[in-house]
Amino acid sequence: MSNEEQIAYWNGDAGRKWAEKDHMMATMLGPIARALLEHCDPAGAARVLDVGCGGGSETLMLAERLGAGARVLGVDVSAPLLAVAKQRLADAGELPVAVEFLRADASEHAFEAGGWDFLFSRFGVMFFDDPLGAFRNLRAALTPDGRMAFCCWQRLQDNPWVAVPLKAALAHLPPPPAPDPHAPGPFAFADRERLAGILEAAGFRDVTIEHRDVTMGWGSGGDLAQTTREMLNIGPVGRLLAEEDDAVRQRVYDSAADALAPYFADGRISLPGATWFVTASNG
């Protein structure tokens, strides 16, 4: 999808659905965000950008790791998710760090040039339709010695949390067009060499891209059918089902539940995944 289509998607029904499920997503992705923060260690940074901040859970994680007087700005295109972020901030009470949220397209927003010393993103940078231009724009926002850290997904086949239910769903759906592996989306940066080339062409230095295995878990104590439905509705299969009727949806849910049964225990579905942890510097 183009940037305009992404903005429409995240401000439409999908964005509202993600906002409603933000607590579940924050719980599921929280361990990955914490591991990335341990990996990159933003302590000492004074002005931090959180790109694709969503519901703001990792924005507050960042704030907890910074010294008094620091500032964190969470940026996202989704008004529904930013409403969740602002409520989460209000619920957090007084903080020693200034936390703000901005609705903007980080790929082209005119950030204060050289005004930020750390850029962070938990799965928020794979959706740019012009990644080279986007990273050039983000690098321009960093101080000369600023740093960047983000995580992104490896290949679809390395992420059974997507591949298993998707295979089950496609048994009941028309085959989608062959995807462009570099198109904006969850797996846009699966190619490690391509990703390194984009960042280096954008002017970043000391680029490191490290493999990290993760576990993705869904569920809050319900049965397999309920948990499968929740998982599919919030993930990539949900987009495929958006225009289907109830009968097709039920067949997909049933087939996916059968495929996911080996991964279900104690009210949760848990599957493996693979990410890249990426760090780079400006200068």
Side-chain angles (χ1 to χ4, degrees), residues 58-276:
E58 76 280 2
T59 314
L60 295 186
M61 284 186 198
L62 278 162
E64 292 170 358
R65 291 172 175 264
L66 303 177
R71 178 188 176 199
V72 184
L73 178 64
V75 182
D76 205 285
V77 298
S78 174
L81 282 168
L82 287 173
V84 173
K86 291 174 182 177
Q87 184 59 55
R88 179 175 272 119
L89 176 60
D91 293 342
E94 187 173 350
L95 298 170
V97 171
V99 178
E100 302 168 75
F101 293 101
L102 172 68
R103 184 182 176 193
D105 179 354
S107 71
E108 58 186 24
H109 180 73
F111 295 105
E112 178 186 348
W116 305 87
D117 55 6
F118 196 86
L119 187 154
F120 179 88
S121 183
R122 183 205 69 185
F123 301 120
V125 297
M126 302 98 68
F127 303 97
F128 302 136
D129 59 6
D130 175 14
L132 177 57
F135 280 112
R136 281 175 172 161
N137 186 59
L138 292 172
R139 188 177 73 84
L142 288 172
T143 60
D145 58 351
R147 296 185 295 138
M148 175 177 69
F150 65 85
C151 57
C152 56
W153 298 109
Q154 296 189 34
R155 301 178 303 169
L156 170 63
Q157 55 265 46
D158 298 322
N159 282 280
W161 66 275
V162 178
V164 170
L166 181 60
K167 181 179 179 181
L170 290 178
H172 304 279
L173 298 171
D180 175 355
H182 300 155
F187 306 106
F189 293 154
D191 184 331
R192 182 176 181 168
E193 298 306 315
R194 174 176 177 267
L195 174 55
I198 290 170
L199 296 179
E200 290 167 358
F204 285 98
R205 300 291 178 264
D206 305 319
V207 176
T208 64
I209 304 175
E210 297 189 11
H211 168 93
R212 287 295 180 102
D213 291 318
V214 299
T215 298
M216 300 289 284
W218 288 262
S220 53
D223 62 17
L224 174 60
Q226 175 188 341
T227 308
T228 297
R229 185 181 291 261
E230 290 176 355
M231 176 185 177
L232 266 59
N233 285 344
I234 200 68
V237 174
R239 295 192 189 190
L240 299 179
L241 294 178
E243 304 300 326
E244 300 296 335
D245 61 32
D246 290 343
V248 172
R249 287 170 181 258
Q250 191 59 54
R251 289 197 294 272
V252 169
Y253 293 144
D254 291 344
S255 290
D258 289 342
L260 293 167
Y263 305 96
F264 181 74
D266 301 323
R268 287 182 63 79
I269 295 171
S270 298
L271 293 103
T275 68
W276 298 124

